[in-house]
Amino acid sequence: MILSSILQAIGLFIVTNIDDVIVLSLFFARGAGQRGTTARIVAGQYLGFAGILGAAVLVALGAGTFLPSEAIPYFGLIPLALGLWAAWQAWRGDDDDDDAKIEGKNVAVWTVAAVTFANGGDNIGVYVPVFLSVGPGAVVAYCVVFLVLVSVLVGLAKFVATRRPIAEALERWEHILFPIVLIGLGIFILVSGGAFGL
């Protein structure tokens, strides 16, 4: 059970944070040659991601307390809707301009934290239904795995910042993988919870 939660947490973290690799690599590129850049980016990413996790856990706790258990599987509609919206944007060619997110800003802890949190609205929308569909122990396991993987994410972003072909490949395929995984996750939550009599 714990191993299953850990593997699911790893997969969920990867698909909801792949776009952060590009944003963070842009921060590394911006702060290249400046002393302390890595430490500021790590601190900012942890602060921003802690805010995302805190918001997701609080919303899940509130929803779990005030909603009947039969309503919880319908939270699968959130990642499903986010995935369909992301697919629609990808089809229309409305890609996010990651350069614009950090343009004109210094590489400071609060800047990285703010961009991470602002970029995490979809994370919260995905994490809440997952947290509602598992027990408290699994939520703790998810959070621990997520926090461990934040350092891996920052390390990967630093690596990507110095390897342009990798950054270009991620940028090219992220808009296809992200909606597919979100739609799949939403359908899984709906079906496994018995929503709509499925």
Side-chain angles (χ1 to χ4, degrees), residues 4 21 28 37 44 50 53-54 56-57 60 65 89 91 96 105 108 135 141 176 197:
S4 172
V21 172
F28 276 111
T37 295
L53 274 184
V57 168
T65 302
Q89 287 181 314
W91 182 72
D96 288 337
K105 296 181 180 177
I176 293 172

Side-chain angles (χ1 to χ4, degrees), residues 73 76 185-198:
L185 179 64
I187 291 170
F188 174 77
I189 292 169
L190 290 167
V191 171
S192 66
F196 304 112
L198 299 173

Side-chain angles (χ1 to χ4, degrees), residues 18 83 86-87 89-91 95 169-183:
I18 194 75
Q89 287 181 314
W91 182 72
D95 292 333
L170 280 174
E171 213 167 342
R172 186 173 341 130
W173 293 105
E174 182 268 336
H175 71 284
I176 293 172
L177 294 174
F178 186 67
I180 289 172
V181 171
L182 283 183
I183 290 167

Side-chain angles (χ1 to χ4, degrees), residues 1 24 47 49 64 81 117 122 152 191 197:
M1 179 80 169
L24 289 171
L47 275 174
F49 198 78
F117 188 78
D122 56 340
V152 175
V191 171

